[in-house]
Amino acid sequence: MLRPLPRSCRIAQAADMSGGQRNSLQVPVAPGDTTPLPNAPGTVSRMSDDASSSSFPMASSTKAGTTEIDMKIRGLMAKQGKETFRFLRWCKGNPLSETGKRQQMIKLMFMTLVPVLALTIITVLSMVKVQQSNAMRTKIRDMIRFSMETGTVIHFLQRERDMTALHLTSQGAETRLFLRERYPATDTALDKLSMWPEKSSDGNSLSQFGSVKDFQKFLRKHRMELNSVKTKPYDEILFYTKMIRSFIDIVYNYIQESKDGDQWREMVAYQLLIISKEDMGVERTLGGVFFAQGQFDTFTDYLWYQEKHTVGVGNFAASKRFSELVGMVFEEEQNKASSNFSVSIDQMRQQISRNNASWVSLEMSTWWFDNMTVFIDIMFQVQLRLAERILTNLERSLTSDNKQIAIGIGLFCLSLIIAPFCIFSIRGIIQDVQNYAFNLSNQTKRLSQERHRTEAILYQLLPKSIADQLKRGSQVEPEAYEESSIFFSDIVGFTKISSACVPVQVVNMLNRLYLCFDSRIELYDVYKVETIGDAYMVSSGVPKRNGQRHAPELATMALDLIHHVTHLEIPHLPGQRMTLRAGMHSGPCVAGVVGIKMPRYCLFGSTVNTASRMEQTGEAGKLHMSEQSRNYLINDTKYKIQPRGKVEIAPGRVECTYWLTEKEGLILSFKCWPKCIEDPTEFLAELAEANKNQTIHLMGGHLADDPVQQEENGTNV
């Protein structure tokens, strides 16, 4: 009599392979057992053979997960380091270790301090350069001011020299009065000198006077002796010219010391203007003597005049080329003059060049003197304007230098203030980045661990190939299998046993049973489809095709389970053992993933239905199989098969069925018993550890001897 089971919801009834979807039943486990099962939290189910290497060593993978990201990061850095230059590899490091964090901190602090130090050094050097430039311009300014004072002294000494020569030529009371009026202006100009040349070995005649007062005493003494001593005009001209030349040498030396400044063109023009003015002053004196006497005393005096005239005019023209201000100011002052003195000067120069005056008179000498004085006074104004321009430019440059110095000091102070702020800010940012990287690493580690757990559970629920397709978002299409074997089993008297115990005891009993089954089927090329109550469904050849080995693998597994279940005691019924009823059938089927929520890998077709009927019509402790399954085993003499006869496996369908009683040598190959019964979890861990060291290929429960055949069979445990 057939015992009805609630399998109609999960077995395809249609013979055309279009059967319905099977329902899944959650199987609880004993309290305190934390081993995961696919159907419910706290239960364990067999993983697919493809996932065995990643799903079984859960404890070892969890321990290794704490350093997995570190190793990956180090490996990635080492790989990138080989592709970069040595100095770029120096900039890299592992921010997850304490040593790496310190090294990165030191490197980043160093890279932060270098620009700050560079900015500080550049600022200091710029300040030093500006300070040197400022000191040079200050020196030039002082020199120009002294040269202006000296130029004024030279100007009044030139006038005094000219009036002295004119007086000695005419010996008149009027010229003596004019001469005395020139003395106070010269003394005032000397009193305004801010410094006096020190004694030196350069041959300067002024260095013999200790101070300006000593020079004034010497000059007054010479003036007083002018009338008492018979002196010639040319001697006085030489006397004053020597003193004026000494002052000009002082100005020349000061200008030479400052020739590297940015005002050198104006200063050269200023120097040439002073020399030109002195030469024209001598020309004025000699010309006055010429008109007072009618001719020069000697031809040497005539050549002297021509030299001063030519050199003076040449230097004046040169000063115009060095500074456009000379010509501009000269034209302005010339236009302001009341008379056209330049025409008169040119005419009188022509007379002097002939060295033969048509008349001799003091009036002509005075006329020449006055016109040349206007000309020299204009040159003196040009000299003053040029000096003022130089001073103005220098003052402007000094003001700019002072601003640059102030800005440099401000930048230096700012860099000193900003540097610690930048350092602490960079340090804080680095610490935040390192903490973020460390937290991210920890989160990544936990995520990786959770991913491994999720994948392990997913590989328990679905075949690895199917699960990988779902993870990639691919659509899993149903797949037809021409050759496969399906196994069903249940516990004999399970309803009676369950009625005699509480639900918790049922859970403990099923948990112990399925732990044993899950540990045993790992040794075979089979796939656990699902469990429904006490029913256990296994397939071979699906989802991984294995040729015609599906029936031997499944038959050997069935004998293994039937044998091991006899060693399992019912937990709440000491001394009473379980008995298994099993059935199998071989044939084609269709497999696919159905459902959106909790998708299940289901088998469809008449093969599934027939395998279920074989189990229902079987007997305790025996494997009931169809003729199709028997045909796969008949050529193997190790299997002991007994015919049962014709059995009605479905209404109106009678077929010959067979008992598979044993396999020769199978019991002796159960090396793991009783460990797989007493502690299946430890057995699974040892099995996974063994799989790391070598690959075990099984054929019907025995190790294969032919490596080529092993590779073709692909039975990997």
Side-chain angles (χ1 to χ4, degrees), residues 669-685:
S669 67
F670 294 153
K671 304 293 185 181
C672 66
W673 189 86
K675 181 177 292 186
C676 61
I677 301 298
E678 297 174 353
D679 193 352
T681 305
E682 182 180 353
F683 172 73
L684 290 175

Side-chain angles (χ1 to χ4, degrees), residues 373-509:
T373 300
V374 173
F375 185 85
I376 293 175
D377 287 344
I378 291 177
M379 293 181 66
F380 183 64
Q381 294 298 322
V382 174
Q383 175 185 335
L384 294 177
R385 290 277 296 275
L386 185 59
E388 290 176 358
R389 177 176 177 177
I390 295 174
L391 289 176
T392 301
N393 293 335
L394 287 174
E395 292 293 343
R396 188 182 297 110
S397 300
L398 289 173
T399 302
S400 177
D401 290 345
N402 293 331
K403 289 182 180 179
Q404 291 184 11
I405 292 174
I407 293 174
I409 294 174
L411 290 176
F412 179 73
C413 297
L414 185 63
S415 63
L416 293 180
I417 297 173
I418 291 179
F421 175 77
C422 291
I423 292 173
F424 286 110
S425 298
I426 295 297
R427 182 174 180 271
I429 293 173
I430 295 171
Q431 289 180 344
D432 292 341
V433 172
Q434 289 178 343
N435 292 334
Y436 176 77
F438 188 74
N439 294 333
L440 182 61
S441 175
N442 290 335
Q443 294 293 335
T444 306
K445 292 175 185 177
R446 288 193 287 269
L447 180 62
S448 178
Q449 295 172 2
E450 292 300 326
R451 180 177 60 83
H452 285 304
R453 294 192 186 99
T454 304
E455 288 180 351
I457 296 174
L458 182 61
Y459 292 155
Q460 291 173 357
L461 296 174
L462 299 170
K464 185 176 184 300
S465 58
I466 303 300
D468 291 339
Q469 294 183 46
L470 292 177
K471 285 167 54 179
R472 293 192 297 266
S474 302
Q475 182 69 27
V476 180
E477 299 294 337
E479 188 173 2
Y481 295 86
E482 296 298 329
E483 293 188 356
S484 65
S485 294
I486 310 297
F487 167 86
F488 280 97
S489 70
D490 64 0
I491 303 300
V492 179
F494 178 75
T495 303
K496 181 179 179 181
I497 295 173
S498 300
S499 62
C501 59
V502 296
V504 174
Q505 293 173 335
V506 176
V507 171
N508 291 336
M509 178 182 64

